[in-house]
Amino acid sequence: QVQLVESGGGLAQAGGSLRLSCTASGSIRRIDSMGWYRQAPGKQRGLVALIPSAGSTNYVDSVKGRFTISRDNAGKTVHLQMNSLKPEDTAVYYCSAYIRTIDYTGMDYWGKGTLVTVSS
């Protein structure tokens, strides 16, 4: 069984910062990409940032230069540093990871989400 647990959401003022974290646990053989997605009220869930096990990070245009995604050395925790927050960043943020378990099965896993609210 694999779990992704997010933390760090909350309320921030426009121009402020928040840091999200997500840790994977369970019967993990390897974690390939990890990423953050968000879903605002009435909108579809969309990619915010993605970090592979090797290679370049990827960001949606609206957060480039403001958000930074990173992973710890063990590769099981991903962070999203969010600076210069805007009200339009308000959403539920979900952590996702493509994980290969000890039985060699690979699939996408999702956290339950953490709410980020940015006030103007």
Side-chain angles (χ1 to χ4, degrees):
Q1 194 77 353
V2 172
Q3 282 189 319
L4 296 178
V5 178
E6 301 115 331
S7 61
L11 177 64
Q13 290 188 334
S17 299
L18 285 173
R19 181 177 172 87
L20 305 182
S21 297
C22 170
T23 299
S25 63
S27 304
I28 297 170
R29 176 172 295 275
R30 192 176 90 182
I31 301 177
D32 291 340
S33 61
M34 299 187 81
W36 291 94
Y37 292 72
R38 66 186 179 186
Q39 186 168 17
K43 295 188 177 181
Q44 289 189 329
R45 189 178 302 185
L47 175 69
V48 176
L50 194 69
I51 184 166
S53 56
S56 301
T57 55
N58 186 33
Y59 298 91
V60 67
D61 286 346
S62 60
V63 307
K64 286 180 180 177
R66 300 189 297 122
F67 290 10
T68 302
I69 190 170
S70 61
R71 283 171 74 167
D72 70 343
N73 289 336
K76 292 185 177 180
T77 297
V78 62
H79 306 284
L80 185 69
Q81 179 66 42
M82 306 185 293
N83 298 329
S84 303
L85 284 163
K86 303 176 180 180
E88 50 264 42
D89 294 319
T90 295
V92 177
Y93 284 70
Y94 297 90
C95 173
S96 179
Y98 189 85
I99 296 174
R100 302 179 192 273
T101 50
I102 58 175
D103 63 356
Y104 296 95
T105 301
M107 61 179 283
D108 288 315
Y109 291 84
W110 293 86
K112 294 182 178 180
T114 185
L115 177 63
V116 171
T117 303
V118 183
S119 62
S120 56

